[in-house]
Amino acid sequence: MSLLTILEFPDPRLRKKAALVQTVDDALRETLDNMIETMYEAEGIGLAATQVDVHKRMLVIDVSEERNNPQIFINPEITVLDPEPLGHEEGCLSVPGFYELVSRPCKVKINALDRDGEAFEQEAEGILAVCIQHEVDHLDGKLFVDYISTLKRQRIKSKLEKEHRQHKTAASA
Ligand code: GNR
Ligand code: NI
């Protein structure tokens, strides 16, 4: 297994729309295993393929306390079961260090394929519902900062751009 590099806002590659997965094969499973390893290493509760510059509709999630229940969703489709907004403080491995309140439907259903390419359906509430919607947004080129004010988003963009410049300078010094 190997760790993958996580793209950071405002990288334009985070805006690409991911394509449907046509075949669930060993190569795809290897990428998914690397995504799981990368998610654990980064201490995230989810990771979408877009974040590691793989533009296929798939994501991994682990919302368990023990960090021992990785879930894989390939070609996920979300259906809202209860549109009542649930506000949650969101963060993102692609927007490191920033947290903002985002409201999303509180209960959803996900139809997806598992690692064997078998279709399954799952209902989600609470943090799992928040996380799945956050990850599927990534596959559509959307980030949680798109839900906050333009001013806040611009501030986050400037701060991250400055950090990226400083890292580049430090690396070449
Ligand atoms: O690790 C993560 N935590 C988190 C917290 C609140 C709402 C969403 C998330 S997802 C995030 C990992 C990530 O960036 N996934 O795309
Ligand atoms: Ni994210």
Side-chain angles (χ1 to χ4, degrees), residues 4-173:
L4 307 170
T5 303
I6 299 175
L7 302 176
E8 294 188 4
F9 178 69
D11 193 308
R13 291 171 289 183
L14 287 168
R15 297 307 190 177
K16 288 204 204 175
K17 193 173 157 64
L20 280 173
V21 169
Q22 300 296 344
T23 349
V24 179
D25 55 16
D26 285 345
L28 197 85
R29 279 185 282 270
E30 183 171 350
T31 305
L32 286 161
D33 287 338
N34 290 338
M35 285 171 59
I36 291 170
E37 194 188 10
T38 303
M39 169 180 71
Y40 286 142
E41 204 267 342
E43 295 183 7
I45 59 171
L47 187 69
T50 306
Q51 293 177 276
V52 293
D53 204 20
V54 173
H55 302 281
K56 295 179 183 169
R57 301 192 75 82
M58 56 189 198
L59 58 94
V60 298
I61 285 185
D62 190 343
V63 292
S64 72
E65 205 65 56
E66 305 78 16
R67 318 283 296 145
N68 60 1
N69 184 29
Q71 289 182 276
I72 287 174
F73 297 85
I74 300 167
N75 293 345
E77 291 275 1
I78 291 180
T79 309
V80 174
L81 295 181
D82 185 349
E84 183 68 27
L86 169 67
H88 201 282
E89 194 83 2
E90 295 199 16
C92 181
L93 296 172
S94 296
V95 191
F98 297 90
Y99 302 87
E100 296 288 345
L101 188 66
V102 175
S103 283
R104 302 181 186 270
C106 71
K107 189 171 180 187
V108 296
K109 179 182 80 175
I110 305 99
N111 288 84
L113 303 179
D114 65 17
R115 63 179 296 130
D116 300 314
E118 298 290 336
F120 70 99
E121 186 175 293
Q122 186 176 340
E123 288 189 9
E125 293 177 273
I127 187 65
L128 182 60
V130 171
C131 190
I132 294 230
Q133 293 176 79
H134 173 115
E135 303 311 339
V136 172
D137 270 357
H138 276 300
L139 303 181
D140 293 322
K142 204 161 178 182
L143 298 168
F144 83 91
V145 294
D146 299 341
Y147 296 100
I148 64 179
S149 74
T150 308
L151 180 65
K152 278 189 183 171
R153 184 167 57 256
Q154 283 300 333
R155 284 200 185 127
I156 292 173
K157 179 170 176 273
S158 304
K159 286 182 189 165
L160 284 175
E161 279 173 338
K162 187 175 171 191
E163 277 189 26
H164 296 157
R165 278 199 300 276
Q166 287 171 341
H167 282 149
K168 264 188 206 158
T169 312
S172 62

